[in-house]
Amino acid sequence: MAMDYGDQSAPGGAAARAGLEQFAAVSSIFDAAEIVLYVADMETHELLFLNAHAERLWGPMVGKPCYKVLQVGQSGPCEFCTNSRLIENGRAAAPPVVWEFQNTANKRWYLCIDKAIPWSDGRLVRMEVAIDITERKSHEYFREQYIGLISHDLRNPLATVDASASLLKLLLGRADFAAAAAPVDTILRNTQRMAEMIDDLLETTRLESGQLQLHKSSFDLAQLAVTTIGELGAAASRPIRFEASGPAPVLADAARIERVLENLVGNAFRYSPPDAQVTVQIEANESEAIVTVSDCGIGIPADDLPKVFHRFYRATGSHSASGLGLGLYNSRLIVEHHGGRIWAESAPGAGSAFRFALPIAP
Ligand code: ADP
């Protein structure tokens, strides 16, 4: 911990030293909780004290101006400096100034509590206690994104359901049962899409909160793929070509891996023409079982390709198909939870191949 106890002969002498020692001892409580505490002169902005935790982050900075060492690109006092709000009528203001701030140097968010306190030599100085709230901020940001997405992306299918239900009511009023089939189909398609979006959102929450429990068992990935694509093909009335070079034994959570396969095949359907070929291939080597889902669809621009596994990312040109941009993100988390990897090869207009690999069962 950096302490400049000052000259023993200076005003205050032993008393000042004792006062500072006491301050340092009390402030060690903040070290234990990994909270930053520092004290700076209110005129010169010179740092007079940093607790050990602050020094771990910024180094031994006593004697230097706070704006130079705690922030970047500051040649003078920061425009957000709270000094002027800490003094009232020449005395320390009673309530502390509490504010949130993203540090310009380490980019972390802090809840800052600033107060003018009398220093050992009698002058008023600024003491700041800063608690790292980066995690909370990122949850807040995620929640905002969530709310934005739910209100925006779920509204479209909901509006379609609403319009189709009104039309259906009209047709039923006229006893036009033959025409009623079309709005019923639209309602079913849209409610199913909404259910998929809600599932994706819930899955993301589970995967990110670390609540995911893998229920692993030994099975043949090729066998699981045959069953899954049979069901998916029948539900979408689309044939899927299947190729397997032999069994692909894995030790994995079958339900989760099925979900990954569903995501990839669902995307292959959605981002290619209705009659276009979709192929699923399984191969195994001595270390990995590899699944490839390929299509002859719209493809993905090179700039977007590395980002499609990011949360909420949707490539340019894909916005006509409804989706939240969570399917591939969730798939990546699931595959990585299994110690596997997932990647894609694609070009605009030339189709896409999505692959994932799982460790082969021992
Ligand atoms: P969603 O499909 O719900 O938007 P995903 O996470 O499954 O979310 O996919 C993210 C983005 O990746 C999609 O929005 C789309 O731009 C692109 N994408 C995924 N699969 C394909 C594919 N087979 N062909 C073309 N683009 C795809």
Side-chain angles (χ1 to χ4, degrees), residues 229 238-243 277-281 292:
I229 62 177
R238 287 180 65 152
I240 304 172
R241 210 166 96 200
F242 179 71
E243 294 165 13
Q277 177 77 60
V278 170
T279 306
V280 176
Q281 286 167 296
T292 305

mmCIF file of all heavy atoms in Angstrom, residues 229 238-243 277-281 292:
data_model
loop_
_atom_site.group_PDB
_atom_site.id
_atom_site.type_symbol
_atom_site.label_atom_id
_atom_site.label_comp_id
_atom_site.label_asym_id
_atom_site.label_seq_id
_atom_site.Cartn_x
_atom_site.Cartn_y
_atom_site.Cartn_z
ATOM 1 N N ILE A 229 -33.443 -36.086 -38.285
ATOM 2 C CA ILE A 229 -33.727 -35.479 -39.596
ATOM 3 C C ILE A 229 -34.971 -36.114 -40.220
ATOM 4 O O ILE A 229 -35.677 -35.446 -40.975
ATOM 5 C CB ILE A 229 -32.511 -35.496 -40.555
ATOM 6 C CG1 ILE A 229 -32.071 -36.902 -40.878
ATOM 7 C CG2 ILE A 229 -31.372 -34.684 -40.032
ATOM 8 C CD1 ILE A 229 -30.928 -36.938 -41.876
ATOM 9 N N ARG A 238 -40.020 -31.647 -46.283
ATOM 10 C CA ARG A 238 -38.855 -31.449 -47.156
ATOM 11 C C ARG A 238 -37.916 -32.641 -47.011
ATOM 12 O O ARG A 238 -37.626 -33.065 -45.881
ATOM 13 C CB ARG A 238 -38.110 -30.173 -46.758
ATOM 14 C CG ARG A 238 -38.844 -28.918 -47.165
ATOM 15 C CD ARG A 238 -38.094 -27.686 -46.778
ATOM 16 N NE ARG A 238 -36.822 -27.559 -47.497
ATOM 17 C CZ ARG A 238 -36.242 -26.382 -47.755
ATOM 18 N NH1 ARG A 238 -36.814 -25.264 -47.368
ATOM 19 N NH2 ARG A 238 -35.089 -26.326 -48.392
ATOM 20 N N PRO A 239 -37.435 -33.174 -48.116
ATOM 21 C CA PRO A 239 -36.505 -34.297 -48.004
ATOM 22 C C PRO A 239 -35.113 -33.804 -47.570
ATOM 23 O O PRO A 239 -34.708 -32.700 -47.919
ATOM 24 C CB PRO A 239 -36.458 -34.853 -49.424
ATOM 25 C CG PRO A 239 -36.812 -33.700 -50.291
ATOM 26 C CD PRO A 239 -37.665 -32.765 -49.490
ATOM 27 N N ILE A 240 -34.421 -34.625 -46.787
ATOM 28 C CA ILE A 240 -33.048 -34.284 -46.382
ATOM 29 C C ILE A 240 -32.169 -35.459 -46.801
ATOM 30 O O ILE A 240 -32.490 -36.618 -46.485
ATOM 31 C CB ILE A 240 -32.946 -34.086 -44.852
ATOM 32 C CG1 ILE A 240 -33.939 -33.010 -44.387
ATOM 33 C CG2 ILE A 240 -31.538 -33.704 -44.449
ATOM 34 C CD1 ILE A 240 -34.046 -32.886 -42.869
ATOM 35 N N ARG A 241 -31.097 -35.154 -47.513
ATOM 36 C CA ARG A 241 -30.180 -36.234 -47.893
ATOM 37 C C ARG A 241 -29.293 -36.553 -46.705
ATOM 38 O O ARG A 241 -28.826 -35.637 -46.007
ATOM 39 C CB ARG A 241 -29.318 -35.794 -49.077
ATOM 40 C CG ARG A 241 -28.937 -36.986 -49.915
ATOM 41 C CD ARG A 241 -28.398 -36.565 -51.232
ATOM 42 N NE ARG A 241 -26.949 -36.545 -51.170
ATOM 43 C CZ ARG A 241 -26.187 -35.887 -52.004
ATOM 44 N NH1 ARG A 241 -26.739 -35.169 -52.963
ATOM 45 N NH2 ARG A 241 -24.885 -35.923 -51.910
ATOM 46 N N PHE A 242 -29.065 -37.844 -46.472
ATOM 47 C CA PHE A 242 -28.262 -38.231 -45.315
ATOM 48 C C PHE A 242 -27.089 -39.097 -45.758
ATOM 49 O O PHE A 242 -27.262 -40.040 -46.522
ATOM 50 C CB PHE A 242 -29.135 -38.994 -44.310
ATOM 51 C CG PHE A 242 -28.372 -39.451 -43.102
ATOM 52 C CD1 PHE A 242 -27.927 -38.543 -42.158
ATOM 53 C CD2 PHE A 242 -28.055 -40.806 -42.925
ATOM 54 C CE1 PHE A 242 -27.199 -38.963 -41.059
ATOM 55 C CE2 PHE A 242 -27.330 -41.235 -41.823
ATOM 56 C CZ PHE A 242 -26.906 -40.297 -40.888
ATOM 57 N N GLU A 243 -25.904 -38.789 -45.296
ATOM 58 C CA GLU A 243 -24.715 -39.589 -45.625
ATOM 59 C C GLU A 243 -23.937 -39.833 -44.345
ATOM 60 O O GLU A 243 -23.682 -38.881 -43.594
ATOM 61 C CB GLU A 243 -23.806 -38.840 -46.607
ATOM 62 C CG GLU A 243 -24.426 -38.620 -47.972
ATOM 63 C CD GLU A 243 -23.653 -37.577 -48.789
ATOM 64 O OE1 GLU A 243 -22.526 -37.212 -48.399
ATOM 65 O OE2 GLU A 243 -24.219 -37.114 -49.788
ATOM 66 N N GLN A 277 -32.061 -28.590 -51.996
ATOM 67 C CA GLN A 277 -31.503 -29.757 -51.299
ATOM 68 C C GLN A 277 -30.813 -29.360 -49.981
ATOM 69 O O GLN A 277 -30.036 -28.410 -49.930
ATOM 70 C CB GLN A 277 -30.473 -30.402 -52.225
ATOM 71 C CG GLN A 277 -29.745 -31.579 -51.647
ATOM 72 C CD GLN A 277 -30.603 -32.826 -51.666
ATOM 73 O OE1 GLN A 277 -31.022 -33.283 -52.722
ATOM 74 N NE2 GLN A 277 -30.889 -33.355 -50.497
ATOM 75 N N VAL A 278 -31.100 -30.102 -48.926
ATOM 76 C CA VAL A 278 -30.375 -29.964 -47.655
ATOM 77 C C VAL A 278 -29.724 -31.320 -47.366
ATOM 78 O O VAL A 278 -30.366 -32.353 -47.520
ATOM 79 C CB VAL A 278 -31.318 -29.548 -46.507
ATOM 80 C CG1 VAL A 278 -30.627 -29.638 -45.152
ATOM 81 C CG2 VAL A 278 -31.845 -28.128 -46.723
ATOM 82 N N THR A 279 -28.458 -31.296 -46.997
ATOM 83 C CA THR A 279 -27.738 -32.559 -46.765
ATOM 84 C C THR A 279 -27.143 -32.582 -45.360
ATOM 85 O O THR A 279 -26.601 -31.563 -44.899
ATOM 86 C CB THR A 279 -26.593 -32.710 -47.803
ATOM 87 O OG1 THR A 279 -27.143 -32.570 -49.103
ATOM 88 C CG2 THR A 279 -25.895 -34.049 -47.677
ATOM 89 N N VAL A 280 -27.242 -33.730 -44.715
ATOM 90 C CA VAL A 280 -26.585 -33.926 -43.417
ATOM 91 C C VAL A 280 -25.585 -35.061 -43.574
ATOM 92 O O VAL A 280 -25.934 -36.148 -44.044
ATOM 93 C CB VAL A 280 -27.611 -34.250 -42.308
ATOM 94 C CG1 VAL A 280 -26.903 -34.560 -40.990
ATOM 95 C CG2 VAL A 280 -28.583 -33.094 -42.117
ATOM 96 N N GLN A 281 -24.331 -34.772 -43.213
ATOM 97 C CA GLN A 281 -23.281 -35.801 -43.321
ATOM 98 C C GLN A 281 -22.670 -36.041 -41.940
ATOM 99 O O GLN A 281 -22.483 -35.090 -41.175
ATOM 100 C CB GLN A 281 -22.150 -35.307 -44.224
ATOM 101 C CG GLN A 281 -22.498 -35.297 -45.690
ATOM 102 C CD GLN A 281 -21.458 -34.492 -46.459
ATOM 103 O OE1 GLN A 281 -21.332 -33.285 -46.234
ATOM 104 N NE2 GLN A 281 -20.723 -35.156 -47.319
ATOM 105 N N THR A 292 -22.014 -32.332 -40.568
ATOM 106 C CA THR A 292 -22.069 -31.208 -41.515
ATOM 107 C C THR A 292 -23.501 -31.069 -42.021
ATOM 108 O O THR A 292 -24.103 -32.052 -42.459
ATOM 109 C CB THR A 292 -21.148 -31.454 -42.732
ATOM 110 O OG1 THR A 292 -19.832 -31.724 -42.254
ATOM 111 C CG2 THR A 292 -21.124 -30.258 -43.670
#
